[in-house]
Amino acid sequence: MTLRWIFVSVLVAVMAGCAPFGEYPSSSDDRSLEPITVRVSGFGTYEDASRDRLNTRKRLLARRASQLDAYRNLAERVYGTVIYGSSTVSDFVLNNDMFRTYVDSYIRGAKMVAVNEHSDGVIETVMELKLEPRFRSCVAEVSDSQVQDLCPVPMPRGNDSVGDVQSRSVDSLYYLD
């Protein structure tokens, strides 16, 4: 009987030694996390750069294409991309290889930093988004498949321009404040 009590006492001591000491940091303590700024570029161009550059409508369409590409790149960086693929092999030789990507997300709070038109006719839109600590905490708590549904990118609080990179030295046809 005493051997049993000694064994139980040793077992309790070992289990107590394996228990965590102190507290785990709670997810509600967002003050320790700094916001992350995600910056992406999107690109668009004309069909014929030498001829279409003078056409105002085509310039606006190229600019819009670069803006939409920047939004897509931002969504891919924040929420990820779904990739579908299939390959056909016959006699150990690859016959067909097909991949499709899928992006479906909701982005809010994105800020256009600059729109640059390069000499070769490519229009680049630079966009950034601040990921608040609330978003980072939510992403850490849910599974990857639930991030888009349960963790929308929150709107920035207070002065959201703190820590922004000023790009006043950008040599561009367009600059957005």
Side-chain angles (χ1 to χ4, degrees):
M1 188 68 170
T2 16
L3 187 58
R4 178 185 274 172
W5 286 109
I6 292 172
F7 179 71
V8 169
S9 309
V10 169
L11 186 62
V12 167
V14 168
M15 293 296 279
C18 294
F21 182 72
E23 293 183 12
Y24 289 112
S26 67
S27 61
S28 62
D29 186 22
D30 291 340
R31 294 177 201 98
S32 64
L33 297 174
E34 293 291 322
I36 294 175
T37 302
V38 177
R39 183 175 274 203
V40 297
S41 292
F43 299 96
T45 188
Y46 313 107
E47 222 173 299
D48 181 5
S50 61
R51 193 176 39 136
D52 293 342
R53 186 174 271 181
L54 301 175
N55 186 333
T56 307
R57 181 179 172 274
K58 291 189 178 182
R59 283 178 73 123
L60 291 174
L61 288 174
R63 185 174 170 168
R64 180 70 175 155
S66 72
Q67 183 181 6
L68 291 175
D69 188 45
Y71 274 119
R72 182 189 54 81
N73 288 334
L74 196 56
E76 286 178 358
R77 290 276 306 269
V78 173
Y79 289 114
T81 307
V82 177
I83 300 174
Y84 298 103
S86 67
S87 299
T88 307
V89 177
S90 176
D91 295 328
F92 299 105
V93 176
L94 182 68
N95 288 338
N96 185 16
D97 205 10
M98 184 180 78
F99 290 97
R100 292 185 321 175
T101 61
Y102 182 106
V103 178
D104 181 19
S105 67
Y106 178 69
I107 295 288
R108 63 180 181 181
K111 190 176 356 179
M112 213 178 315
V113 177
V115 178
N116 305 317
E117 186 168 350
H118 301 281
S119 60
D120 59 353
V122 173
I123 297 179
E124 175 187 19
T125 299
V126 180
M127 203 173 266
E128 69 180 23
L129 176 69
K130 242 180 218 173
L131 297 179
E132 296 287 324
R134 297 173 284 158
F135 176 77
R136 292 174 60 195
S137 297
C138 181
V139 168
E141 292 175 0
V142 301
S143 70
D144 291 343
S145 62
Q146 296 177 320
V147 168
Q148 185 162 342
D149 296 330
L150 300 178
C151 302
V153 176
M155 290 299 286
R157 294 180 183 162
N159 184 4
D160 68 327
S161 65
V162 174
D164 283 354
V165 176
Q166 299 295 325
S167 58
R168 299 230 182 261
S169 64
V170 172
D171 184 27
S172 162
L173 291 175
Y174 308 105
Y175 177 74
L176 303 174
D177 284 326

